[in-house]
Structures are given as C-alpha cells and as structure tokens.
C-alpha cells in the first residue's frame, strides 16, 4: 500500500473504530493519534513526490469498480428511503435520476470502460492533501472538547457523538480520494460521499430546522451530482475516456458540454449563487461541521474541480466562452455576498457569506483560467482554508462562553477571552489586511483580471471594498475597551485551545512561507500546465515580509492590556453621571451608541439575494444552452 492509498483508507478505519468504541477517553486518544498520523502522512507524501511532476497510479481492478458501484447503489437506496420518510420527494426524484444514470451507464458500457490511471498526485493534489490532513484533522481534534460542551449546552439533543466522529472521518477519507482521483467515475463516487456526509452532519441535531436545511443541502448537491453523472456519460460515449488528465487534449466538439456540466457540479458544491443557500443553512450544525464544510472539505471540492477544468477553459476552442460564464457566476456571487455580509449580525452568517464570496473569487480566477489567475486561485484556497477554520472554531468557543454568537456580544472580547480574541484578530487580519495572504492573492487576481477581462475587475474591486467594511467593524468590536472589565472566567477545553493556537500560528506561518510555497510548489505546477508561470518580484516579497513583521506587533501589544490605566470616556461634550451619556449641543443629553452599522436597507438579503439568484440562473442556463447549440 502506498501513501496515497493509505491516506484514503486510514480515516475510514479510524471512523469505524470511533463508531464502535464510544468511550470518551478512547475517542480523545484515537483522534489525537490520528491527527498526528494524518498530518505526518500528508507531509511524507509531499516529501515523496515533491516537484516530481504529475505521478500516475494504475491501482484498481474490476472487483474494486464493482464494489464502488454496489456501494453507490446501497447509499442511493438509504438516502432515498430517508427522503421518503421525511416526505422530501424532490430529493427522492434527484436521487433516483442519479442512480438510474449510474446503473444504466454501468450496465451498458461497464465492460467497455478501461482506464489507464485511476489515481494520481501532482503539486495541486499535494497542497489539497496537506489542507485536508492538517486543517481537517485539527478540526476533528477541536470537536472532541467542543462536542462534550455542545451537549452540555444542548441537553435536549440526543448525544450521537460516535456517529458524528464516524461521519467526520469518512468525510476526510472521501476528500483524500477526491483530490487523488484521475478516474472521473471514482471522483464522482467520492464527490457523492461528501454530499451524503454533509447531509448527515448538517442534520445532526435532528430538530426541524436542521432536517430542513440538511435536505436543502442534499437536494442542491444531488442536482450537481446529476450534472456530474451526465458529464461522465457524455464524455465516454463521445470521447471514450473518463480520465481527468485527458480533458484538455480533447476536441471541443466532444468536451465542452461535459466540461460545462462538470463546472455546474462545481458551482453547486462550492455554494455559488443560486445554490448558496445550502451553505447558509448548514450553520445550524455544530461549529466543527461549519469549519469542516467551509475550510478544508466540501466547498473546496467544488473549487478544486473548477481549477482542474481551467486548462480546458484556456486551451480548448470555445473553452474560454464556457469559462467566462463560470467566471461571471463567481463574480456576481463575490460582489453580492460580500455586500450581504455587511448586514449580518450573526458572526457565523458573516463567516458563511465571506466564505461564499471568497469561493466566488476563486471561481472567477479559475473560470478565466490564465496562468496568473490559476496561481491566485490556488493561493486563495490555501489562505482561506486556514484563516476561515480559525475564525469558525473561535466563534464556536466564544458562543459557548458568552451564550451567543451575535457580533454585538463580542464588545471588548480582548478583555474577557484575550487568547481567543487574539486568534480572531489574526484570523480577521488574515482575511483582508496586508501583508496577509488573502490580500496578496486578491492583488494577484486583480492584476490578472485587468489583463484578461477588465469588466470582471469591477466586480472584484467593489466586492473587496465591501469585505473591508465588514471585517473592519468586527475587528473594532473585538479590541474595543470601553471601561475596566468585570471579572470573567473562561475555561477553554485543552483540545480547543491547542487547535486554535495551532491554527493562529499556521495563519502567520503560511504568510511568512508563501514566497517559498509559490516558488517551489505553485510555479512548477503552473509551468507544467501552461508552459509559463506567475512570478512574484523580489522587491514585492521584501516589502510584504517587512509589513508582516510590523503587523505582528499588534497582537503582541494586545497581550499587555492588563497593565492599562482606564480613564473616563471623553465623549466630545460634557460628561454626565450616567455612563455613555453626555450633554450635547443645546443642553440636550445624548446617548452614545457603540453598535456597528449593518445598513440592512441597502445590503439586506431581501434585496440582494433574489437579484443574485436570478442573474446566476440566467448565466448558467445560457452557458449550457450555448454549448448545446
């Protein structure tokens, strides 16, 4: 067994052990051990195949293909029965359509399908493996302490933690399989496993809202799965291949419609408009699920597939037109969801809209598919995965201690939970401040878009302005100190504290190391695909590293808050005895409000969401229609 096979199978073995043996101490030890093993194995994989180019494996057999087919059918029956039980007839219909296509294709063409390579690794799959191994494992470790607290705060919810951890590890195994699969039928199998896992995790609490939102996610992702299944059938019947590495070498007459359908599947999985509502609904799940869906798995599967299609958009005749429609969907999503994040008071919804927006930006870059923009897209994937997992998990910890996750509750969090607040400051800074990675990637994206398609630059520029607004006001809330804080004790479980600390260090470290990541990983990968690559200038790298050193002074300074001298607030008028009031003009007593601006009448969901849904439906319908003509 080589490292690739081990990384797919090991999480599944851990999942079975966690399902069978339910003792908390055993769970803690096994999750900690698996975190070390998966992290180590992912790093070892990089050592093995570092800069060796794409390496393909012929691993597979007819018996294995038959096993995958039987498992797909069994899962389809289980999901269809669950959907019938909850009277979700659309889910049943989509499940049956997908299963019927799979069964028909297998029975009709199964004996004719011969693949040369089922698995592969290259620099992109190595990067994805590292994200899954490190970020995914840390999230599982965080969940050990979190789920115990979760059931302490939600006594009415049945404790199904063993099932929860079982699904989490199956999810990780499926994600490894997805990024290593060269056989599209295998990729589709792992793709559907992630859909089913997200369905079970979102519906974990089994209350009415959770079940409703779990089925919403299931239906939208099954719709994408139908597109994926149709793409495989079209590809094989027209081009006699189901191998991912052969797509960019095929004639446009046979590859454009399958690629458009694959891109459609990628848009549903990455929660782009009009499918974004499933990711917002997923917020009802326990916080580790949100972090898992938003950072290292699920939505990353969608953008990963679209990045893999970029060479088709760039090199195949007519591919640029398909890519442009994909990019436009991403651009509309980025702009509108960035604006809607401004109007959110719930911290997890701000993070959810931010995730959808950033995925939209990645889709824009991958859709245009030039070498500069693919460089930016992969960098965005890396930086977003780390910073967003840190923020989601931090909000989960804060929610358990403050009793809510509304941003207004986080006033002066730096005085109540300083270490967690510093981690959040680092995470937020990582999302929008120079010289952290997201801003560097946006810079490269705008630079590439100006050269490739200036109209898309407008979407990115205005969307980026909106992100600046909502991150800044949240950041201000965290570090705002109005008065000497009351005594507040926060006891964060060890697994949570270790995970948050590790992710904060990783957020900074990845920004310090990004020139090396670019030079030794991304640039060779881009050059192998495009024959040329994006290069960071030495002067820009030096400036960014100097800025990084300066920015690090901010969180370190926050650690000294305990020695501050607290003074009465100066309120630009004459203070009165009551707090936060002063005599204003004409002797009228004024009250100071420290609430953030949400501008709901301008950026509210009610106005912008329907607009985005309508625009993106039209774009997708036109894209499919044009390639069918």
């Amino acid at each position: 067994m080589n490292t690739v096979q081990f990384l797919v199978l090991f999480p599944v073995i851990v999942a079975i052990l966690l399902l069978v043996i339910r003792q908390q101490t055993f769970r803690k030890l096994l999750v900690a051990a698996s975190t070390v093993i998966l992290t180590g194995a992912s790093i070892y994989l990089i050592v093995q195949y570092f800069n060796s180019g794409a390496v393909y494996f012929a691993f597979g057999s007819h018996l294995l293909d038959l096993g995958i087919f039987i498992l797909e059918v069994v899962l389809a029956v289980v999901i269809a029965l669950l959907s019938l039980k909850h009277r979700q007839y659309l889910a049943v219909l989509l499940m049956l359509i997908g299963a019927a296509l799979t069964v028909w294709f297998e029975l009709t063409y199964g004996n004719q399908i011969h693949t040369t390579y089922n698995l592969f690794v290259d620099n992109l799959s190595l990067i994805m493996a590292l994200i899954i191994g490190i970020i995914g494992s840390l999230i599982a470790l965080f969940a050990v302490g979190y789920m115990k607290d979760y059931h302490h705060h939600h006594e009415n919810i049945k404790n199904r933690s063993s099932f929860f951890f079982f699904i989490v590890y199956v999810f990780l195994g499926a994600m490894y399989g997805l990024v290593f699969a060269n056989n599209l039928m295998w990729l589709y199998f792992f793709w559907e496993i992630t859909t089913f896992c997200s369905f079970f995790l979102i519906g974990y609490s089994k209350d009415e809202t959770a079940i409703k939102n779990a089925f919403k996610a299931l239906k939208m992702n099954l719709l994408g799965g139908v597109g994926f299944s149709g793409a495989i059938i079209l590809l094989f019947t027209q081009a006699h291949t189901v191998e991912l590495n052969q797509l960019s070498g095929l004639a446009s007459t046979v590859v454009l419609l399958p690629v458009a359908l694959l891109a459609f599947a990628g848009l549903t999985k990455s929660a782009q408009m009009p499918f974004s509502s499933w990711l917002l609904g997923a917020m009802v799940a326990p916080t580790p699920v949100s972090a898992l869906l938003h950072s290292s798995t699920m939505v990353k599967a969608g953008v990963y597939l679209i990045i893999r299609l970029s060479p088709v958009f760039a090199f195949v005749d007519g591919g640029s037109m398909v890519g442009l429609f994909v990019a436009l969907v991403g651009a509309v999503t980025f702009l509108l969801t960035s604006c809607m994040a401004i109007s959110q008071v719930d911290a997890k919804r701000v993070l959810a809209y931010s995730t959808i927006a950033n995925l939209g930006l990645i889709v824009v870059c991958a859709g245009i598919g030039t070498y500069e923009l693919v460089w930016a897209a992969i960098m965005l994937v890396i930086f977003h995965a780390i910073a967003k997992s840190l923020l989601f998990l931090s909000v989960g910890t804060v929610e358990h201690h403050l009793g809510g996750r509304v941003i207004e509750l986080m006033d002066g969090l730096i005085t109540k939970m300083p270490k967690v607040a510093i981690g959040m400051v680092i995470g937020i800074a990582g999302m929008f401040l120079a010289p952290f990675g997201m801003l560097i990637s946006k810079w490269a994206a705008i630079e590439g878009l100006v050269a490739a398609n200036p109209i898309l630059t407008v979407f990115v520029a205005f969307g980026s302005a909106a992100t600046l607004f909502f991150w800044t006001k949240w950041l201000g809330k965290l570090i705002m100190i109005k008065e000497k804080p009351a005594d507040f004790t926060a006891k964060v479980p060890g697994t949570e504290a270790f995970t948050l600390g590790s992710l904060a260090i990783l957020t900074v470290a990845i920004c310090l190391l990004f020139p090396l990541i670019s030079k030794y990983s991304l640039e060779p990968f881009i050059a192998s695909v495009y024959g040329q690559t994006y290069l960071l200038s030495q002067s820009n790298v030096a400036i960014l590293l100097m800025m990084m050193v300066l920015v690090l002074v901010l969180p370190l300074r926050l650690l000294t808050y305990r020695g501050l001298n607290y003074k009465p607030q100066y309120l630009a008028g004459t203070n009165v005895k009551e707090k936060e009031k002063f005599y204003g003009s004409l002797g009228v007593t004024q009250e100071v409000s420290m609430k953030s601006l949400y501008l709901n009448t301008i950026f509210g969901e009610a106005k912008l969401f329907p607009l985005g849904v309508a625009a993106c439906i039209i774009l997708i319908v036109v894209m499919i229609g044009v390639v069918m003509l």
Side-chain angles (χ1 to χ4, degrees):
M1 179 183 292
N2 65 26
T3 314
V4 169
Q5 296 159 7
F6 173 80
L7 284 170
V8 177
L9 293 177
F10 179 72
V12 179
I13 295 170
V14 174
I16 294 169
L17 289 174
L18 287 168
L19 182 65
V20 176
I21 306 174
R22 305 184 174 194
Q23 212 271 335
Q24 173 71 12
T25 305
F26 171 80
R27 178 184 300 151
K28 188 174 180 179
L29 289 173
L30 183 56
V31 171
S34 67
T35 300
V36 174
I37 292 171
L38 285 176
T39 301
S42 300
I43 294 171
Y44 178 66
L45 185 72
I46 290 179
V47 173
Q48 270 187 304
Y49 298 105
F50 183 71
N51 270 348
S52 57
V55 179
Y56 293 88
F57 306 97
F59 172 76
S61 66
H62 178 69
L63 193 62
L64 182 58
D65 289 336
L66 183 63
I68 288 175
F69 171 67
I70 292 173
L71 192 53
E72 280 181 319
V73 173
V74 170
L75 286 171
V77 171
V78 171
I79 297 297
L81 290 175
L82 278 174
S83 303
L84 275 175
K85 178 183 173 184
H86 292 281
R87 299 180 181 180
Q88 295 288 335
Y89 301 117
L90 180 57
V92 176
L93 179 64
L94 291 169
M95 194 74 253
L96 290 178
I97 292 173
L101 288 172
T102 301
V103 171
W104 174 81
F105 182 60
E106 187 66 33
L107 295 179
T108 308
Y109 296 102
N111 293 330
Q112 302 173 34
I113 302 170
H114 302 289
T115 53
T116 308
Y117 302 112
N118 288 312
L119 299 173
F120 79 120
V121 291
D122 63 4
N123 283 10
L124 177 56
S125 51
L126 289 176
I127 289 170
M128 293 299 295
L130 209 55
I131 290 173
I132 298 162
I134 296 177
I135 309 298
S137 297
L138 283 174
I139 291 170
L141 185 63
F142 177 93
V144 174
Y146 180 90
M147 290 307 291
K148 191 176 175 184
D149 271 1
Y150 178 83
H151 285 289
H152 176 72
H153 288 88
H154 301 83
E155 293 179 348
N156 57 325
I157 296 175
K158 184 181 177 182
N159 192 333
R160 299 189 296 139
S161 295
S162 298
F163 180 71
F164 175 88
F165 283 96
F166 168 76
I167 296 293
V168 165
Y169 275 90
V170 170
F171 211 144
L172 294 182
M175 278 301 299
Y176 275 121
L178 194 150
V179 300
F180 294 142
N182 185 55
N183 182 337
L184 283 169
M185 294 176 67
W186 286 26
L187 202 159
Y188 173 65
F189 169 70
F190 292 119
W191 184 275
E192 291 297 76
I193 294 288
T194 63
T195 294
F196 300 149
C197 287
S198 66
F199 166 71
F200 288 118
L201 289 174
I202 295 169
Y204 176 78
S205 67
K206 285 192 169 182
D207 62 28
E208 186 179 346
T209 306
I211 290 173
K212 177 186 170 188
N213 291 350
F215 274 106
K216 179 187 285 185
L218 179 68
K219 284 182 277 191
M220 291 190 178
N221 282 292
L222 284 178
L223 184 61
V226 170
F228 201 131
S229 187
I232 292 173
I233 294 171
L234 284 170
L235 201 59
F236 185 77
T237 54
Q238 296 179 13
H240 305 293
T241 183
V242 289
E243 293 186 63
L244 184 63
N245 65 321
Q246 296 186 15
L247 293 186
S248 60
L250 297 175
S252 61
T253 50
V254 299
V255 77
L256 287 187
L257 183 54
V259 163
L261 291 174
L262 288 174
F264 171 74
L267 293 173
T268 60
K269 188 73 92 179
S270 57
Q272 297 300 282
M273 285 185 153
F275 310 108
S276 53
S277 59
W278 77 258
L279 194 58
L280 296 166
M283 295 298 100
V284 298
T287 291
V289 176
S290 305
L292 204 61
L293 295 181
H294 284 252
S295 60
S296 59
T297 62
M298 196 64 177
V299 294
K300 289 295 187 295
V303 293
Y304 167 80
L305 179 60
I306 295 176
I307 290 173
R308 284 290 182 197
L309 300 177
S310 292
V312 179
F313 302 146
F315 298 133
V316 175
D317 286 342
S320 60
M321 180 192 60
V322 178
L324 178 60
F325 281 107
V326 173
L328 282 169
V329 172
V332 171
T333 302
F334 176 69
L335 174 60
L336 294 183
T337 53
S338 295
C339 291
M340 282 186 274
I342 294 173
S343 65
Q344 304 304 310
V345 296
D346 182 329
K348 281 181 74 172
R349 283 186 78 82
V350 173
L351 295 177
Y353 271 117
S354 164
T355 292
I356 298 166
N358 281 291
L359 294 171
L361 183 56
I362 296 169
V363 168
V364 172
C365 295
I368 297 301
T370 62
Y371 66 91
E372 302 103 320
L373 290 170
V374 171
W375 182 94
I378 299 172
M379 275 296 187
L380 284 166
V381 169
I382 298 171
F383 292 126
H384 179 265
I386 301 171
K388 194 52 70 69
S389 58
L390 170 61
L391 286 170
F392 263 112
L393 296 181
S394 298
V395 168
T397 298
V398 170
E399 182 183 6
H400 278 178
H401 288 85
L402 298 187
R405 61 193 192 213
V406 175
I407 290 177
E408 295 301 323
L409 285 176
M410 298 182 190
D411 277 0
L413 189 69
I414 191 67
T415 64
K416 300 171 185 171
M417 302 177 70
K419 292 179 181 175
V420 176
I422 290 171
M424 293 180 73
V425 168
I426 292 173
I428 291 176
M431 293 302 298
F432 83 107
L433 274 181
F436 286 96
M438 289 297 289
L439 194 72
I440 296 168
S441 306
K442 282 183 184 175
W443 176 4
I446 290 176
E447 196 175 59
L449 285 173
V450 167
N453 192 321
I455 294 175
L456 291 172
T457 312
V458 177
F459 287 85
V460 176
F462 281 95
S464 297
T467 63
L468 177 71
F469 187 15
F470 68 75
W471 286 128
T472 305
K473 62 183 182 139
W474 190 358
L475 187 62
K477 282 285 185 184
L478 296 178
I479 59 177
M480 176 179 67
I481 303 174
K482 293 191 293 186
E483 57 189 357
K484 189 173 183 178
D487 291 336
F488 184 89
T489 303
K491 189 176 180 181
V492 179
T495 53
E496 292 186 30
F498 175 79
T499 302
L500 295 178
S502 300
L503 289 171
I505 292 170
L506 274 174
T507 304
V508 176
I510 204 71
C511 295
L512 291 170
L513 295 174
F514 92 90
L516 299 178
I517 297 171
S518 174
K519 182 174 182 179
Y520 294 108
S521 183
L522 279 194
E523 291 170 17
F525 170 72
I526 301 290
S528 69
V529 176
Y530 290 89
Q532 53 187 330
T533 190
Y534 180 79
L535 297 173
L536 284 169
S537 69
Q538 294 297 320
S539 58
N540 286 338
V541 171
I543 291 170
L544 291 170
L545 289 178
M546 283 190 287
M547 290 174 69
M548 172 63 76
V549 173
L550 293 172
V551 167
L552 285 176
V553 174
L554 171 63
L556 291 177
R557 177 66 182 86
L558 293 175
L559 287 172
T560 65
Y561 82 96
R562 292 181 190 279
L564 295 178
N565 291 319
Y566 295 93
K567 303 287 187 184
Q569 297 168 23
Y570 174 65
L571 300 175
T574 304
N575 287 8
V576 298
K577 290 182 180 179
E578 296 174 84
K579 289 182 180 177
E580 299 179 10
K581 288 187 179 180
F582 66 97
Y583 286 120
S585 61
L586 302 177
V588 178
T589 301
Q590 302 283 353
E591 186 171 355
V592 175
S593 174
M594 306 297 281
K595 289 184 179 179
S596 290
L597 292 173
Y598 294 98
L599 306 176
N600 199 46
T601 55
I602 303 173
F603 299 117
E605 293 169 311
K607 283 190 173 181
L608 299 185
F609 202 84
L611 176 65
V613 167
C616 290
I617 286 176
I618 292 170
L619 287 169
I620 292 171
V621 169
V622 173
M623 175 181 74
I624 301 291
V626 167
V627 294
M628 289 180 71
L629 292 176

